[in-house]
Amino acid sequence: MRKLLQFLVMLCLSAAVMAETFTIEDIRVEGLQRISAGTVFNYLPVKVGDEMSDNDARGIIRSLYKSKYFNDVQVERQDNVLVIKVQERPAISSIELVGNKDMDSAELLKSLREIGFGEGQVFEQAMLERVELELERQYFSRGKYGVAIESEVTPLSRNRVAIRITMAEGVVATIKDINIVGNDSFEQEELTEEFQTTTGTLLSFITKDNQYSRQKLSADLETLRSFYLDRGFVDFTVESTQVSISDDKKNMFITINITEGDKYKIDEVRLAGNLIVPEEELFDLVTIRQNSVFSRKAITKSTENLTNRLGNDGYAFANVNAVPEIDRDAKEVDLTFFVDPGRRAYVRRIQISGNSKTRDEVLRREMRQQESAWISTEKVEQSKARISRLGYFENVNVETIPVPGVQDQVDLNYGVTETPSGSLSAGVGYSQSDGIIFNANVTQKNFLGSGKHIRFGFNNSSINTIYSFGYTNPYATIDGISQGFNAYYRKTDADEANIARYTLDAFGGDFTYGIPISEENRIDLGFGYEHTEIDLPSTDRILRYEDFIDREGDSFDTVTLNAGWSSDSRDSAILPTSGISQSVSAEVAIPGPSLQFYKLRYKANAYKPLGEDLTFAIRGEFGYGDAYGDTNEFPFFENFYAGGIRSVRGFQANTLGVKERTSRGDEEPVGGNLLVSGGAEVIFPVPFMDKSLKSFRLSAFTDFGNVYDVNQDFDAGLLRYSAGLSAIWISPFGAMTFSIAAPLKKEDGDETEAFQFSLGSTF
């Protein structure tokens, strides 16, 4: 009010001075200290040579006040000279923040400067008041409702001020109680179980889930609404929500008033509209049925199923609406799904962009949607998924664009962002089973943009020394038959792997062919050759090994035929959350060159999400090998082994199964020709970490397994069991796995190991 009165007085005085008009011969500005005269002239609505009037004087005062540079402006006339007298607003010499433990001072000062409140800038009281309100709002968002903010402005020489902002932050107000009023059908604990807002847990000091947030509460109210609508309460409403805070600003209380209404059932489900697809087929896609409880979730799922089914026949813009007819007297709902397929659309053109290196044909051969054919939403998504699984692209997006001027044609635009498909890596890892591991790998998954794979690897540990080279052409034929080969050299010191002593030197190679039989299934065929030499120690020998070498020799040339089937529907090859992967393989050493034996193996992993954050996983593995023909005994160096972080955790690696006595009297594990193992686990994110961080997760698990010797039959009573906790982190250096496990069932002589880990890549 004081400034308004001052402004009006100045206008009146200036009007009195300018009672007569005159021509401006010169303009003089008095009272400037920091601001240049040029800046003032830029704001003036008049210039030399203009006629000056009462309105012009008022306009000058308004313009200069609007600039916010001045506390006082006066306009005078001296002859034909326009004299403007100003009093500058003070400049901010310093800003001192005191008591702000929750917010960084440097970041705060930076944000204040961005809004015009910083050192060297013009001080404005109104701006300081806005700063105080914004700081208060920031603390409120952090749950500190008892914050007190005081500002002190100290005048300094040369028209400057020093500002000190003191913040008494107080403590975080936590939610003391959540009370739902009107819930007759369900207990409050059941209703609030899925709430983001809680009254606190043991980890609340980390997760902050007991701090109030308007956004979280709104989401919780929608969760509550969905809970009731999915259980038949059609008339459910949230009447009101009250949030109150205690006098000391430390505790918050939330009260939610609801009206449940009555529970409704479905009386009749109908399909109406233009049913392009046979009604029986569409009706099978409806998941909600007569006499079932009304469920919005089931209705939404049914609508999605119908829309997707129509989209598969080219009706990409189909519209399906579920319209309920509510009989409140009978507490029943008639549900009608109105189907409007729209016009059938054809794909005119498929365009690909962003592939600066990868050839178009590499992407187009993954397309399941074809040009000039009906558009199929399923095939469009299949094409996107297949391109994503190539591993050449960071992002894959697809757009469906109607063709201008045509009602039944669309274009598909696939946009990709390429990622480097080659890698050169070298590193050091460690695992308790393999020891220190040195490895180097050169891989080019998309050689010259052709989609062909080449790789070279070197791996050296206390157990294995491996050199390998491989090549794969995933599209050796237009039908997607893959062709590849591998060559390798391997030296193994079995004693370092906790099993009976021998040394193996082997080199060889194999050719493989992969034949896709569906989107998720393929058959692999191949043959290989391996030359093997076995060396037993001069002392401390296993009698069985000596007998085998006496009969068969210590050098073997083996030709194998390989066949396998694999299926993979997982959502990710790394840290999956849903889907199943299975594989069956058979390897037969054919008669002629040397040993005659075969090996069969089956592996399976299944993942099922349990809500948003939990995943249930089970795995199983079965292996069996035996000799045939002229070979009397299954080769001991082809045995299966169990125990360790990749098998039955809690037991030392490769130590389960039969043990043989050496010539010195020691007992050493020798593995077996039959392997049975598996496990189950519940996978969950780290409680105090960001849930969006997918590269780190924990699990609670139980494992079982054992290996059986050629002279043993399978006996479930010999299986070993363990349970514990595991953690895996996909780090920039490779997978890091840790587990703490305790045996649930063990026998005398079993070698246990509670803590096990693997760092870096192992082979």
Side-chain angles (χ1 to χ4, degrees), residues 359-391:
R359 302 172 190 173
D360 260 24
E361 65 183 62
V362 175
L363 286 85
R364 291 190 180 277
R365 67 194 184 191
E366 302 296 334
M367 293 291 177
R368 295 301 177 258
Q369 173 67 57
Q370 300 298 316
E371 294 178 343
S372 301
W374 297 329
I375 186 172
S376 168
T377 52
E378 180 181 11
K379 291 180 179 179
V380 170
E381 289 302 314
Q382 280 182 353
S383 303
K384 178 183 176 182
R386 291 182 66 88
I387 293 173
S388 298
R389 285 197 290 264
L390 289 174

Side-chain angles (χ1 to χ4, degrees), residues 430-729:
Y430 182 84
S431 75
Q432 287 167 304
S433 59
D434 293 349
I436 297 177
I437 306 162
F438 298 94
N439 62 74
N441 293 278
V442 178
T443 303
Q444 177 55 257
K445 296 187 294 182
N446 188 16
F447 184 65
L448 299 178
S450 64
K452 298 176 182 178
H453 304 178
I454 62 170
R455 55 198 172 275
F456 168 77
F458 162 71
N459 188 62
N460 186 15
S461 69
S462 59
I463 297 175
N464 289 313
T465 298
I466 302 173
Y467 299 92
S468 63
F469 175 78
Y471 166 85
T472 302
N473 182 357
Y475 273 84
T477 72
I478 195 172
D479 297 319
I481 296 177
S482 64
Q483 183 183 56
F485 68 86
N486 294 282
Y488 61 87
Y489 167 77
R490 180 177 72 252
K491 183 174 182 178
T492 301
D493 185 351
D495 185 43
E496 295 290 340
N498 299 326
I499 58 181
R501 297 179 181 179
Y502 68 86
T503 301
L504 180 146
D505 275 274
F507 64 84
D510 61 69
F511 289 86
T512 58
Y513 296 87
I515 305 171
I517 56 177
S518 72
E519 288 295 322
E520 298 174 352
N521 299 270
R522 65 186 297 111
I523 293 175
D524 296 303
L525 301 172
F527 62 93
Y529 164 80
E530 181 175 280
H531 174 79
T532 307
E533 294 184 2
I534 302 294
D535 183 24
L536 297 180
S538 57
T539 60
D540 205 18
R541 296 188 175 196
I542 298 289
L543 180 60
R544 180 192 297 186
Y545 292 0
E546 289 184 337
D547 292 343
F548 182 90
I549 290 178
D550 289 342
R551 282 194 314 270
E552 307 292 347
D554 59 4
S555 180
F556 315 101
D557 290 291
T558 307
V559 177
T560 58
L561 298 179
N562 308 295
W565 165 83
S566 61
S567 173
D568 193 348
S569 62
R570 295 175 298 171
D571 60 347
S572 172
I574 302 174
L575 303 182
T577 59
S578 65
I580 301 173
S581 69
Q582 299 181 83
S583 66
V584 177
S585 63
E587 177 185 353
V588 180
I590 63 175
S594 186
L595 300 176
Q596 298 169 37
F597 64 91
Y598 62 88
K599 295 177 74 173
L600 305 174
R601 200 156 195 161
Y602 172 76
K603 291 183 178 181
N605 292 273
Y607 303 86
K608 183 177 179 59
L610 302 175
E612 182 180 355
D613 301 321
L614 299 180
T615 301
F616 177 69
I618 57 173
R619 63 177 179 85
E621 183 175 3
F622 169 84
Y624 179 75
D626 202 357
Y628 74 96
D630 296 334
T631 302
N632 296 320
E633 184 180 345
F634 186 67
F636 64 85
F637 50 86
E638 294 287 348
N639 275 350
F640 300 100
Y641 297 92
I645 196 168
R646 300 182 187 88
S647 178
V648 186
R649 288 162 282 193
F651 295 88
Q652 281 193 17
N654 305 324
T655 60
L656 293 180
V658 172
K659 292 180 172 61
E660 290 279 344
R661 191 174 299 277
T662 68
S663 56
R664 288 185 177 179
D666 300 327
E667 289 193 341
E668 300 285 353
V670 295
N673 71 320
L674 173 62
L675 165 69
V676 177
S677 71
E681 57 187 323
V682 176
I683 304 168
F684 52 92
V686 181
F688 52 84
M689 295 180 67
D690 186 354
K691 293 180 181 179
S692 64
L693 182 62
K694 303 298 184 181
S695 62
F696 194 105
R697 63 185 190 181
L698 304 174
S699 69
F701 66 84
T702 178
D703 291 339
F704 70 88
N706 208 344
V707 290
Y708 300 82
D709 197 17
V710 290
N711 300 318
Q712 288 180 298
D713 294 326
F714 172 74
D715 181 358
L718 296 178
L719 290 174
R720 307 296 196 263
Y721 298 87
S722 66
L725 295 174
S726 176
I728 183 170
W729 176 35

Side-chain angles (χ1 to χ4, degrees), residues 16-42:
V17 172
M18 300 296 168
E20 298 180 4
T21 62
F22 68 97
T23 301
I24 302 173
E25 295 180 356
D26 193 14
I27 300 175
R28 187 168 69 247
V29 181
E30 298 178 356
L32 295 177
Q33 295 179 351
R34 299 181 316 278
I35 301 171
S36 67
T39 301
V40 176
F41 290 146
N42 286 335

Side-chain angles (χ1 to χ4, degrees), residues 266-273 275 279 282-283 286 288-290 302-303 306 320-326 333-339:
I266 299 296
D267 180 46
E268 187 176 358
V269 179
R270 296 185 294 267
L271 293 173
L275 306 181
E279 184 173 356
L282 289 178
F283 200 80
V286 178
I288 191 167
R289 297 296 184 180
Q290 186 178 23
S302 300
T303 301
L306 295 172
V320 179
N321 290 316
V323 179
E325 297 179 15
I326 302 173
V333 177
D334 291 341
L335 198 61
T336 303
F337 291 91
F338 285 92
V339 178

